[in-house]
Amino acid sequence: MAGVVDVLAARGGDIVGLSIHTDVSGVVDEFVVDIPGSHTDAVRALAEHCPTGTVTAVPAQRRELGDDVTRALLLTARLRAHPNRLPDALGELLLADDARWTNLTRAESADETAPGTSMLVPVGPLRGVLVVRSSRPFTWTESSRADALVRSVMPSAGPVPTDRVVRTTRGLGLSLRQVREADAPALRDLHRRCSGETVRNRYLAGMRELSPRMLRVFCDAERGLTLAVRPQGQEEPVALGHLMYTLDPGVGEIAFLVEDAWQGSGVGTALTRALTVIAADWGLAEVRAETTLANTAMLRIMRRFGASVQTQSGTYVHARLPVAEALQTGLGEQTRRGGQFARLMSQG
């Protein structure tokens, strides 16, 4: 970034704004710069300075010169008085070309526009706002901001319960409960019953025992959420599901460990569905998963839910799942039905 600043300074550029976003390709640094005369030479110099990246320049509008936080607060205050103007507010927040109401059951979707230039912001079980911007793709950070603006004016329905009962596609009832320190003996037994391959697929390394430090991480609400999974009527957990915070705004990381004897029974799919619904309740725009090529079951689940999957270093795999799109398409369901989002949120 220092090199970018040097290039701009050498051409008399005055940086009046800087935002850092994340999107599907990584990190995006967005500068608002006042450059005397034409910006063509500066863009060319930046492209030469960043040969592995992409440099895009578009004329800045007057509304882009304000502070992002101030603009968001002003929009929230305006929406308190006129909540029906939510599309206009989202369009202004995201500097979009167009924003309009859409019906989620009909799914007037991003498929009708160029990839990356539109974003669907869910507002309720049946409605959403389709936001379109042709100049540059939307980022996950912007998706998280949009969700936060919607939440600021929507009446609270209370958080999605973490302790709940869900069902697999085969109808098996699973009790999900947030882990507690008292669960330590049962969780250690669960890890001992798992094969070495299953443990490596979860932790990307061999681990003979669940350490006290790891248990503290699982129980720490500031790190995220860990759910123990028990078939209804049983006391022993057969799986663990994790939704952990990351350093990237609006992004969470999911992982799960399923006992060998229960693999292939739909537990992993049910866990992924439940954790993604909770991620939406937290206002996350994306959930990620890190695993290996050998973990074919998890890769199959993530792809079914609509995640993009990239291989790194020939062995490790990075999966990224947009939360809003996953909810809209029914979280791995093969068909889209009206009210699917509402049923998922109230399941169990």
Side-chain angles (χ1 to χ4, degrees):
M1 188 176 294
V4 171
V5 173
D6 289 342
V7 170
L8 295 173
R11 284 154 181 80
D14 181 16
I15 300 174
V16 297
L18 170 62
S19 300
I20 300 176
H21 310 267
T22 57
D23 71 357
V24 70
S25 60
V27 178
V28 178
D29 299 321
E30 180 183 59
F31 293 85
V32 178
V33 186
D34 181 14
I35 298 179
S38 173
H39 62 263
T40 305
D41 291 341
V43 172
R44 185 182 301 112
L46 287 171
E48 294 173 355
H49 182 77
C50 308
T52 60
T54 301
V55 179
T56 303
V58 295
Q61 306 298 322
R62 183 184 300 274
R63 59 182 179 172
E64 296 181 74
L65 302 181
D67 175 75
D68 287 339
V69 176
T70 301
R71 185 167 68 247
L73 291 173
L74 289 173
L75 289 173
T76 300
R78 188 189 309 168
L79 282 174
R80 291 289 184 184
H82 304 284
N84 59 311
R85 297 181 182 175
L86 179 60
D88 294 337
L90 286 171
E92 186 169 341
L93 175 70
L94 302 173
L95 308 175
D97 303 322
D98 183 37
R100 58 185 181 273
W101 290 109
T102 186
N103 188 322
L104 296 185
T105 61
R106 188 175 65 248
E108 175 194 5
S109 69
D111 297 338
E112 301 175 3
T113 59
T117 63
S118 65
M119 178 172 64
L120 181 64
V121 183
V123 178
L126 301 177
R127 289 202 305 171
V129 176
L130 186 65
V131 188
V132 180
R133 183 176 67 196
S134 59
S135 59
R136 60 190 185 278
F138 291 105
T139 65
W140 300 131
T141 304
E142 290 177 313
S143 178
S144 185
R145 288 176 181 171
D147 183 79
L149 183 64
V150 171
R151 289 167 182 271
S152 71
V153 295
M154 292 286 288
S156 175
V160 171
T162 55
D163 292 5
R164 57 201 305 224
V165 174
V166 300
R167 294 195 176 276
T168 68
T169 54
R170 301 179 183 180
L172 174 66
L174 300 173
S175 174
L176 309 184
R177 194 185 74 186
Q178 188 169 0
V179 300
R180 303 166 177 83
E181 292 187 7
D183 294 323
L187 298 186
R188 290 194 182 97
D189 289 343
L190 168 61
H191 282 74
R192 290 170 185 151
R193 293 195 301 269
C194 292
S195 66
E197 180 182 4
T198 293
V199 172
R200 281 192 298 273
N201 284 339
R202 163 59 185 91
Y203 298 102
L204 306 183
M207 188 178 70
R208 301 184 63 179
E209 292 282 342
L210 179 65
S211 67
R213 185 192 67 82
M214 188 68 73
L215 180 63
R216 287 194 297 271
V217 171
F218 291 169
C219 296
D220 187 352
E222 293 187 358
R223 301 286 190 97
L225 172 70
T226 296
L227 298 175
V229 183
R230 296 171 173 84
Q232 282 189 290
Q234 296 189 25
E235 291 298 323
E236 289 296 317
V238 300
L240 285 178
H242 311 273
L243 176 60
M244 311 304 284
Y245 299 114
T246 72
L247 296 178
D248 292 329
V251 178
E253 182 172 345
I254 65 171
F256 47 83
L257 174 78
V258 180
E259 184 179 337
D260 293 61
W262 286 86
Q263 293 176 13
S265 61
V267 174
T269 299
L271 259 178
T272 305
R273 181 178 292 113
L275 291 173
T276 306
V277 170
I278 293 171
D281 184 61
W282 287 2
L284 299 180
E286 178 193 47
V287 290
R288 299 175 182 171
E290 303 284 347
T291 187
T292 67
L293 286 173
N295 195 353
T296 56
M298 185 170 191
L299 293 177
R300 183 169 58 251
I301 291 171
M302 295 300 290
R303 286 193 174 101
R304 186 189 308 148
F305 279 56
S308 62
V309 177
Q310 295 180 336
T311 303
Q312 299 176 335
S313 303
T315 302
Y316 298 101
V317 177
H318 187 63
R320 309 179 71 160
L321 176 65
V323 172
E325 285 83 347
L327 289 173
Q328 187 206 2
T329 56
L331 287 170
E333 298 291 340
Q334 296 301 314
T335 58
R336 179 181 291 147
R337 300 184 294 273
Q340 179 72 32
F341 180 82
R343 284 196 293 275
L344 287 167
M345 294 297 283
S346 61
Q347 187 178 12

